[in-house]
């Protein structure tokens, strides 16, 4: 729902995030502070420093194989309390797929030199519209 970079030091920084998860009619708000470390054009590592989850570690790797760019994501997380009922493997998989689809669309939009959608400029896009 919202992200803010804090404490940047070269390729390491902290991200303060607010998000939500849903399970049926139940909607749970989640807050977190994550440490992110970038290895440009190779890898992104993310580690939960504090927040509503018990733990969360993700690694995204970018590699070229046979002229094709391959992105792999490996992550482990542990939900607790109310978040355990809303944050399932299926939820994480679908959210991750949606986020990478949006990222792909943004890369292609920029490659085609198309302007950003008005909602992106106004920062009021809904899911699936930018």
């Amino acid at each position: 729902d919202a992200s803010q970079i804090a404490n940047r030091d070269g390729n390491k920084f902290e991200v303060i995030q607010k998000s939500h998860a849903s399970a049926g009619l139940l909607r749970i708000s989640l807050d977190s502070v994550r440490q992110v470390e970038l290895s440009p054009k190779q890898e992104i590592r993310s580690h939960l420093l504090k927040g509503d989850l018990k733990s969360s570690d993700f690694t995204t790797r970018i590699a070229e194989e046979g002229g094709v760019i391959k992105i792999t994501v490996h992550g482990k997380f542990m939900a607790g309390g109310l978040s355990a009922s809303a944050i399932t493997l299926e939820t994480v998989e679908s959210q991750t797929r949606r986020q990478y689809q949006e990222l792909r669309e943004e890369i292609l939009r920029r490659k085609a030199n198309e302007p950003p959608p008005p909602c992106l400029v106004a920062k009021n896009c809904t899911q699936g519209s930018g």
Side-chain angles (χ1 to χ4, degrees):
D1 296 328
S3 296
Q4 179 181 359
I5 294 176
N7 301 325
R8 186 172 195 128
D9 182 18
N11 288 338
K12 278 189 179 179
F13 53 92
E14 292 178 6
V15 178
I16 301 166
Q17 293 184 311
K18 293 185 180 290
S19 59
H20 71 275
S22 298
L25 297 176
L26 181 64
R27 180 182 162 105
I28 299 170
S29 294
L30 302 166
D31 294 322
S32 67
V33 178
R34 306 183 68 75
Q35 182 180 59
V36 178
E37 184 173 1
L38 305 174
S39 298
K41 299 184 181 184
Q42 295 173 2
E43 186 174 89
I44 302 166
R45 291 184 176 268
S46 171
H47 171 72
L48 180 71
L49 297 175
K50 64 182 175 179
D52 296 318
L53 296 175
K54 287 185 178 180
S55 67
S56 176
D57 291 287
F58 282 81
T59 301
T60 301
R61 290 194 176 92
I62 305 162
E64 184 176 343
E65 293 181 8
V68 175
I69 302 297
K70 182 177 178 181
I71 299 172
T72 57
V73 179
H74 177 80
K76 293 182 181 180
F77 72 95
M78 251 180 133
L82 284 176
S83 64
S85 62
I87 303 175
T88 64
L89 179 59
E90 293 78 15
T91 303
V92 172
E93 284 178 347
S94 69
Q95 289 285 344
T96 301
R97 288 182 196 286
R98 182 184 59 78
Q99 290 170 357
Y100 275 98
Q101 180 61 34
E102 290 174 358
L103 180 60
R104 180 183 184 276
E105 290 168 4
E106 178 65 10
I107 290 168
L108 293 174
R109 181 192 66 75
R110 290 181 184 197
K111 186 176 180 179
N113 290 320
E114 295 175 4
C119 70
L120 191 60
V121 175
K123 297 183 179 180
N124 65 0
C125 293
T126 58
Q127 284 187 357
S129 65

